[in-house]
Amino acid sequence: MRLDLKLTGCRALTMDPARPAAHTIGLWQGRIAGLDEQVEDLPAAETADLGGAVVLPGFIDAHTHLAWNGRRTTDIAGLTTIAGILDRLAGAPGTGWIEASGYDPRAVDRPLTAADLDRISDGRPVYVADLSGHACVVNSVVLRQLPGIDSDGWLTENEQLAARTLRLPYSVDEIVEELHESARQVLAEGVTMCAEAGIGAGLIASSPLEAAAYQRARLPIRVQLMVSAHVLHPVAADPADGIARAVDLGLHTGFGDDMLSLGALKLWTDGGMIARTAALSEPYAGTDNRGQLADFEESMRAAVIDGHNAGWQLAIHAIGDRAVDFALDAVAEAQRQRPRADARHRIEHCGLVRPAQLARIAELGVVPVVQPTFLHAYGDDYSEIMGERRAPWLYRGRSFLDHGITVAGSSDRPVADGAPLRAIEFMVRRRSCGGRAIGPDEAVTVEEALRAYTLGSAYACRKEDVLGSITPGKLADLVVLGDDPRTSDDIAQIPVLATMVNGTFAHNSAL
Ligand SMILES: [Zn+2]
């Protein structure tokens, strides 16, 4: 046998307990052919000496938004005055919608309103997305097209969706461009696979033809598409199939190949912490606001059950503990009606989990898909709005693992920084960017954090048989780092030297 490529001089942390370290990796036909003595004596078309660099399985971001992230909107992140925001938006090129992103209502001197935006809009519709994705500010041109909504411009959840729907769809060409922009960015951060969290409909969708954009884009990273549950519709299947609603053609989780496949069915059960719409069992500290569920419980439960029956893995967005309760109850009910072994349903975010909910998550085999970087960026604010008793329950790590729950790492990019090493650093140190300790008892070891971003996220995407560790027979997705995260003082700053997808370097800055 002749290898395609032999990597020597590696310090590989394989994430495979059967063989945790390796110095030589043999690659053939896009797969790991063998390690160390299995491949040392084999000839290879090419050999690369990595000079002692650290090699890990490629990072898998189990929840991200590639199209949204790559969108060319006017970025107002970091602006702290209304005057500054209006300055940036004035004179936007083009003639159609003026779109901005990165608005943070907590950071500005006063709330942005429709009247403010009217001053710079020149009669054009204006849509300013807040950075959580769960709220926006629009101008009066947009409000006039939304009869029945009484607002000074600030819209959340369903009202926001109504405004968003006026702008949609984006063209397939536009989406393809956005996807390539994001793929370049994530490869430079060591990510080899992304799960796109909700295409086709709903808050963050771009077009009803979104899957076509992914198919046309032929991205240099692996992508798994979560499909919005809003596209489930009644189908005239044989009653013996027991499927009331499905996606066209009966497509469901697992369809596709190793580069592009269908992942979970995405459902939304509440909002977010930034917009104070995550559904809590007790109010946000100092208020009587308990957030909100995204829809009537009956219709959300019906979507869970129909999706489960149609063969989907479910990815249920639930941030507040009240939404987590709802998600767990609905999954339990679906499993009671039709038991499915290893359905492996996921809870996206799983942001606030009461101690008593941990055992239930474990018992139902639900996978929390967490975003550690939320707490690095927004942990000071989240801790304030939860209060002292609940702050340690935010975006848990240690207690999930201690309950035997698989933790999957993800970013929710562009809501927060997408770099996996930043998230891994946070999981280990539990420090916000403001220096505050956030639930320090939830800290995990470096190995455990790395596992969450490799094998853990592969498991959440049902790909652990082919991805997530450097194991002979698995797909050859690797990241080469400039330092060992286990001994580094600043994991977030470790340089990503190269990223390999399917046996070839898709990003290479230093080899
Ligand atoms: Zn998301």
Side-chain angles (χ1 to χ4, degrees):
M1 179 192 193
R2 185 168 181 263
L3 299 169
D4 294 330
L5 176 62
K6 196 192 294 186
L7 301 175
T8 61
C10 309
R11 266 192 295 159
L13 317 178
T14 66
M15 296 294 124
D16 182 347
R19 189 173 190 138
H23 52 76
T24 301
I25 304 172
L27 308 170
W28 182 74
Q29 298 279 303
R31 293 200 178 243
I32 313 281
L35 304 174
D36 297 347
E37 80 288 347
Q38 299 165 341
V39 292
E40 253 164 344
D41 296 333
L42 292 178
E46 225 182 307
T47 299
D49 182 352
L50 300 191
V54 171
V55 182
L56 284 165
F59 295 126
I60 298 174
D61 190 338
H63 179 132
T64 187
H65 301 280
L66 294 170
W68 175 17
N69 176 68
R71 192 155 299 151
R72 292 212 180 96
T73 58
T74 304
D75 185 11
I76 60 167
L79 296 182
T80 54
T81 65
I82 297 305
I85 291 173
L86 296 179
D87 227 34
R88 173 104 25 119
L89 295 180
T95 53
W97 283 73
I98 298 173
E99 292 177 86
S101 56
Y103 175 59
D104 185 350
R106 302 158 308 175
V108 284
D109 46 358
R110 65 171 175 81
L112 181 67
T113 66
D116 294 325
L117 295 174
D118 286 341
R119 281 161 43 207
I120 54 90
S121 68
D122 200 17
R124 295 162 67 183
V126 186
Y127 183 96
V128 176
D130 119 310
L131 44 70
S132 71
H134 289 272
C136 65
V137 185
V138 297
N139 70 342
S140 62
V141 177
V142 178
L143 288 175
R144 272 199 297 277
Q145 297 175 68
L146 299 170
I149 294 180
D150 180 27
S151 163
D152 65 354
W154 172 252
L155 304 174
T156 64
E157 308 301 338
N158 287 336
E159 293 184 347
Q160 178 204 7
L161 180 57
R164 194 72 199 137
T165 305
L166 295 173
R167 168 61 182 89
L168 296 180
Y170 293 80
S171 74
V172 170
D173 281 348
E174 282 174 296
I175 302 168
V176 167
E177 217 175 287
E178 293 164 359
L179 297 179
H180 277 284
E181 174 62 32
S182 289
R184 270 192 295 278
Q185 194 182 342
V186 306
L187 279 168
E189 294 168 346
V191 175
T192 53
M193 174 174 163
C194 286
E196 170 85 22
I199 64 159
L203 272 185
I204 34 74
S206 304
S207 159
L209 305 183
E210 232 163 349
Y214 282 89
Q215 199 172 352
R216 187 189 295 175
R218 301 177 63 85
L219 296 175
I221 55 170
R222 301 181 197 280
V223 176
Q224 193 174 60
L225 302 173
M226 294 186 225
V227 175
S228 165
H230 294 112
V231 303
L232 280 183
H233 59 83
V235 287
D238 188 306
D241 294 329
I243 296 176
R245 286 191 294 167
V247 167
D248 283 325
L249 307 178
L251 296 175
H252 64 271
T253 308
F255 187 82
D257 62 20
D258 287 329
M259 289 306 291
L260 179 62
S261 62
L262 287 184
L265 189 73
K266 175 87 187 287
L267 300 96
W268 285 263
T269 67
D270 71 344
M273 298 246 181
I274 295 174
R276 308 331 191 207
T277 50
L280 308 179
S281 55
E282 291 173 35
Y284 289 90
T287 75
D288 55 7
N289 171 28
R290 294 200 305 140
Q292 62 198 68
L293 291 175
D295 200 349
F296 296 113
E297 292 197 25
E298 265 167 44
S299 42
M300 293 194 298
R301 194 176 299 110
V304 166
I305 289 168
D306 288 348
H308 174 85
N309 287 344
W312 288 91
Q313 179 190 23
L314 303 174
I316 307 176
H317 166 118
I319 293 185
D321 64 320
R322 184 155 56 102
V324 171
D325 276 335
F326 169 81
L328 294 173
D329 288 346
V331 165
E333 175 62 20
Q335 284 286 22
R336 194 189 60 73
Q337 288 186 17
R338 187 188 288 197
R340 259 179 64 196
D342 198 23
R344 216 180 289 186
H345 297 319
R346 320 172 11 153
I347 294 188
E348 308 301 298
H349 313 300
C350 217
L352 185 76
V353 172
R354 299 189 309 275
Q357 291 176 311
L358 290 164
R360 261 199 106 201
I361 293 172
E363 184 195 330
L364 289 165
V366 164
V367 184
V369 178
V370 295
Q371 295 75 35
T373 304
F374 279 0
L375 292 188
H376 177 262
Y378 314 125
D380 294 8
D381 175 57
Y382 287 13
S383 297
E384 294 294 329
I385 59 175
M386 286 308 118
E388 215 170 298
R389 186 172 52 94
R390 289 180 295 182
W393 305 346
L394 287 165
Y395 290 91
R396 291 171 181 271
R398 177 84 270 140
S399 49
F400 282 144
L401 294 178
D402 287 350
H403 280 77
I405 297 164
T406 300
V407 175
S410 75
S411 69
D412 208 11
R413 182 197 304 262
V415 179
D417 175 359
L421 289 170
R422 158 81 55 213
I424 288 161
E425 160 94 19
F426 179 83
M427 292 176 85
V428 174
R429 312 244 186 264
R430 302 285 301 191
R431 290 263 165 198
S432 72
C433 58
R436 183 169 178 159
I438 315 278
D441 292 347
E442 292 295 337
V444 302
T445 66
V446 174
E447 284 90 343
E448 287 166 336
L450 292 171
R451 177 169 291 263
Y453 252 93
T454 52
L455 264 187
S457 39
Y459 179 83
C461 297
R462 307 186 69 90
K463 290 285 188 187
E464 78 282 5
D465 53 338
V466 287
L467 292 170
S469 65
I470 304 175
T471 301
K474 284 197 177 184
L475 296 164
D477 290 6
L478 306 171
V479 55
V480 183
L481 302 178
D483 196 3
D484 186 339
R486 295 173 304 177
T487 51
S488 165
D489 294 334
D490 195 351
I491 298 171
Q493 298 305 322
I494 295 176
V496 173
L497 304 179
T499 309
M500 170 182 282
V501 180
N502 229 27
T504 52
F505 285 110
H507 163 79
N508 190 340
S509 69
L511 289 182

mmCIF file of all heavy atoms in Angstrom, residues 386-403:
data_model
loop_
_atom_site.group_PDB
_atom_site.id
_atom_site.type_symbol
_atom_site.label_atom_id
_atom_site.label_comp_id
_atom_site.label_asym_id
_atom_site.label_seq_id
_atom_site.Cartn_x
_atom_site.Cartn_y
_atom_site.Cartn_z
ATOM 1 N N MET A 386 -29.505 36.637 36.214
ATOM 2 C CA MET A 386 -29.903 35.388 36.868
ATOM 3 C C MET A 386 -29.890 35.533 38.395
ATOM 4 O O MET A 386 -30.625 34.855 39.093
ATOM 5 C CB MET A 386 -28.961 34.245 36.479
ATOM 6 C CG MET A 386 -29.160 33.725 35.080
ATOM 7 S SD MET A 386 -30.870 33.294 34.765
ATOM 8 C CE MET A 386 -31.235 34.426 33.460
ATOM 9 N N GLY A 387 -29.020 36.392 38.899
ATOM 10 C CA GLY A 387 -28.885 36.518 40.350
ATOM 11 C C GLY A 387 -27.961 35.437 40.896
ATOM 12 O O GLY A 387 -27.670 34.443 40.219
ATOM 13 N N GLU A 388 -27.546 35.637 42.150
ATOM 14 C CA GLU A 388 -26.492 34.820 42.746
ATOM 15 C C GLU A 388 -26.779 33.318 42.760
ATOM 16 O O GLU A 388 -25.914 32.502 42.518
ATOM 17 C CB GLU A 388 -26.292 35.309 44.178
ATOM 18 C CG GLU A 388 -24.873 35.249 44.662
ATOM 19 C CD GLU A 388 -24.758 35.976 46.000
ATOM 20 O OE1 GLU A 388 -25.019 37.197 46.035
ATOM 21 O OE2 GLU A 388 -24.454 35.293 46.983
ATOM 22 N N ARG A 389 -28.056 32.958 43.068
ATOM 23 C CA ARG A 389 -28.373 31.542 43.225
ATOM 24 C C ARG A 389 -28.309 30.802 41.888
ATOM 25 O O ARG A 389 -27.816 29.683 41.802
ATOM 26 C CB ARG A 389 -29.778 31.394 43.827
ATOM 27 C CG ARG A 389 -30.168 29.959 44.162
ATOM 28 C CD ARG A 389 -31.474 29.922 44.931
ATOM 29 N NE ARG A 389 -32.528 30.681 44.246
ATOM 30 C CZ ARG A 389 -33.411 30.134 43.408
ATOM 31 N NH1 ARG A 389 -33.399 28.847 43.173
ATOM 32 N NH2 ARG A 389 -34.325 30.888 42.819
ATOM 33 N N ARG A 390 -28.799 31.462 40.815
ATOM 34 C CA ARG A 390 -28.900 30.765 39.540
ATOM 35 C C ARG A 390 -27.661 30.924 38.650
ATOM 36 O O ARG A 390 -27.478 30.130 37.718
ATOM 37 C CB ARG A 390 -30.129 31.272 38.765
ATOM 38 C CG ARG A 390 -31.445 30.831 39.377
ATOM 39 C CD ARG A 390 -32.615 31.358 38.560
ATOM 40 N NE ARG A 390 -32.692 32.818 38.593
ATOM 41 C CZ ARG A 390 -33.654 33.528 37.986
ATOM 42 N NH1 ARG A 390 -34.588 32.908 37.292
ATOM 43 N NH2 ARG A 390 -33.664 34.842 38.075
ATOM 44 N N ALA A 391 -26.841 31.940 38.880
ATOM 45 C CA ALA A 391 -25.696 32.181 37.991
ATOM 46 C C ALA A 391 -24.801 30.940 37.829
ATOM 47 O O ALA A 391 -24.316 30.670 36.730
ATOM 48 C CB ALA A 391 -24.895 33.388 38.465
ATOM 49 N N PRO A 392 -24.589 30.147 38.892
ATOM 50 C CA PRO A 392 -23.725 28.961 38.707
ATOM 51 C C PRO A 392 -24.358 27.859 37.849
ATOM 52 O O PRO A 392 -23.706 26.876 37.543
ATOM 53 C CB PRO A 392 -23.517 28.454 40.151
ATOM 54 C CG PRO A 392 -23.879 29.595 41.036
ATOM 55 C CD PRO A 392 -24.926 30.371 40.313
ATOM 56 N N TRP A 393 -25.619 28.017 37.472
ATOM 57 C CA TRP A 393 -26.294 26.992 36.655
ATOM 58 C C TRP A 393 -26.190 27.272 35.164
ATOM 59 O O TRP A 393 -26.740 26.548 34.343
ATOM 60 C CB TRP A 393 -27.792 26.919 37.019
ATOM 61 C CG TRP A 393 -28.101 26.682 38.456
ATOM 62 C CD1 TRP A 393 -27.235 26.265 39.438
ATOM 63 C CD2 TRP A 393 -29.374 26.844 39.097
ATOM 64 N NE1 TRP A 393 -27.889 26.169 40.643
ATOM 65 C CE2 TRP A 393 -29.205 26.511 40.467
ATOM 66 C CE3 TRP A 393 -30.644 27.229 38.661
ATOM 67 C CZ2 TRP A 393 -30.259 26.563 41.384
ATOM 68 C CZ3 TRP A 393 -31.693 27.276 39.563
ATOM 69 C CH2 TRP A 393 -31.502 26.943 40.921
ATOM 70 N N LEU A 394 -25.504 28.369 34.802
ATOM 71 C CA LEU A 394 -25.441 28.777 33.396
ATOM 72 C C LEU A 394 -24.457 27.912 32.603
ATOM 73 O O LEU A 394 -23.339 27.672 33.054
ATOM 74 C CB LEU A 394 -24.998 30.240 33.301
ATOM 75 C CG LEU A 394 -26.014 31.312 33.704
ATOM 76 C CD1 LEU A 394 -25.310 32.654 33.916
ATOM 77 C CD2 LEU A 394 -27.110 31.446 32.648
ATOM 78 N N TYR A 395 -24.870 27.501 31.433
ATOM 79 C CA TYR A 395 -24.004 26.783 30.485
ATOM 80 C C TYR A 395 -23.023 25.866 31.220
ATOM 81 O O TYR A 395 -21.829 26.087 31.251
ATOM 82 C CB TYR A 395 -23.294 27.771 29.555
ATOM 83 C CG TYR A 395 -24.292 28.390 28.606
ATOM 84 C CD1 TYR A 395 -24.954 29.575 28.937
ATOM 85 C CD2 TYR A 395 -24.637 27.757 27.417
ATOM 86 C CE1 TYR A 395 -25.915 30.126 28.096
ATOM 87 C CE2 TYR A 395 -25.593 28.305 26.566
ATOM 88 C CZ TYR A 395 -26.222 29.481 26.913
ATOM 89 O OH TYR A 395 -27.178 30.007 26.086
ATOM 90 N N ARG A 396 -23.582 24.824 31.761
ATOM 91 C CA ARG A 396 -22.810 23.921 32.611
ATOM 92 C C ARG A 396 -21.802 23.079 31.815
ATOM 93 O O ARG A 396 -21.926 22.911 30.615
ATOM 94 C CB ARG A 396 -23.774 22.975 33.337
ATOM 95 C CG ARG A 396 -24.655 23.645 34.387
ATOM 96 C CD ARG A 396 -25.686 22.643 34.852
ATOM 97 N NE ARG A 396 -26.612 23.152 35.844
ATOM 98 C CZ ARG A 396 -26.420 23.110 37.165
ATOM 99 N NH1 ARG A 396 -25.293 22.623 37.657
ATOM 100 N NH2 ARG A 396 -27.347 23.550 37.993
ATOM 101 N N GLY A 397 -20.831 22.542 32.534
ATOM 102 C CA GLY A 397 -19.857 21.627 31.951
ATOM 103 C C GLY A 397 -19.692 20.424 32.861
ATOM 104 O O GLY A 397 -20.193 19.339 32.617
ATOM 105 N N ARG A 398 -19.014 20.673 34.011
ATOM 106 C CA ARG A 398 -18.684 19.602 34.954
ATOM 107 C C ARG A 398 -19.898 18.748 35.350
ATOM 108 O O ARG A 398 -19.858 17.522 35.338
ATOM 109 C CB ARG A 398 -18.075 20.246 36.209
ATOM 110 C CG ARG A 398 -17.731 19.330 37.351
ATOM 111 C CD ARG A 398 -16.357 18.703 37.170
ATOM 112 N NE ARG A 398 -16.431 17.452 36.455
ATOM 113 C CZ ARG A 398 -15.565 17.063 35.537
ATOM 114 N NH1 ARG A 398 -14.538 17.827 35.211
ATOM 115 N NH2 ARG A 398 -15.694 15.923 34.934
ATOM 116 N N SER A 399 -21.015 19.416 35.698
ATOM 117 C CA SER A 399 -22.126 18.620 36.223
ATOM 118 C C SER A 399 -22.798 17.809 35.119
ATOM 119 O O SER A 399 -23.335 16.733 35.392
ATOM 120 C CB SER A 399 -23.133 19.479 36.988
ATOM 121 O OG SER A 399 -23.491 20.594 36.253
ATOM 122 N N PHE A 400 -22.748 18.275 33.865
ATOM 123 C CA PHE A 400 -23.232 17.415 32.770
ATOM 124 C C PHE A 400 -22.379 16.143 32.711
ATOM 125 O O PHE A 400 -22.889 15.031 32.681
ATOM 126 C CB PHE A 400 -23.121 18.139 31.430
ATOM 127 C CG PHE A 400 -24.204 19.166 31.157
ATOM 128 C CD1 PHE A 400 -23.902 20.337 30.473
ATOM 129 C CD2 PHE A 400 -25.516 18.951 31.557
ATOM 130 C CE1 PHE A 400 -24.882 21.282 30.202
ATOM 131 C CE2 PHE A 400 -26.512 19.893 31.287
ATOM 132 C CZ PHE A 400 -26.193 21.061 30.609
ATOM 133 N N LEU A 401 -21.063 16.331 32.692
ATOM 134 C CA LEU A 401 -20.166 15.171 32.559
ATOM 135 C C LEU A 401 -20.337 14.230 33.754
ATOM 136 O O LEU A 401 -20.370 13.005 33.589
ATOM 137 C CB LEU A 401 -18.708 15.633 32.445
ATOM 138 C CG LEU A 401 -18.376 16.433 31.179
ATOM 139 C CD1 LEU A 401 -16.915 16.878 31.211
ATOM 140 C CD2 LEU A 401 -18.647 15.632 29.915
ATOM 141 N N ASP A 402 -20.466 14.796 34.964
ATOM 142 C CA ASP A 402 -20.613 13.952 36.152
ATOM 143 C C ASP A 402 -21.911 13.146 36.126
ATOM 144 O O ASP A 402 -22.031 12.132 36.808
ATOM 145 C CB ASP A 402 -20.550 14.801 37.424
ATOM 146 C CG ASP A 402 -19.130 15.291 37.708
ATOM 147 O OD1 ASP A 402 -18.196 14.812 37.036
ATOM 148 O OD2 ASP A 402 -18.958 16.153 38.591
ATOM 149 N N HIS A 403 -22.889 13.620 35.354
ATOM 150 C CA HIS A 403 -24.136 12.858 35.211
ATOM 151 C C HIS A 403 -24.092 11.908 34.006
ATOM 152 O O HIS A 403 -25.120 11.343 33.625
ATOM 153 C CB HIS A 403 -25.330 13.809 35.081
ATOM 154 C CG HIS A 403 -25.791 14.349 36.401
ATOM 155 N ND1 HIS A 403 -25.130 15.353 37.070
ATOM 156 C CD2 HIS A 403 -26.838 14.003 37.198
ATOM 157 C CE1 HIS A 403 -25.744 15.614 38.210
ATOM 158 N NE2 HIS A 403 -26.779 14.807 38.310
#
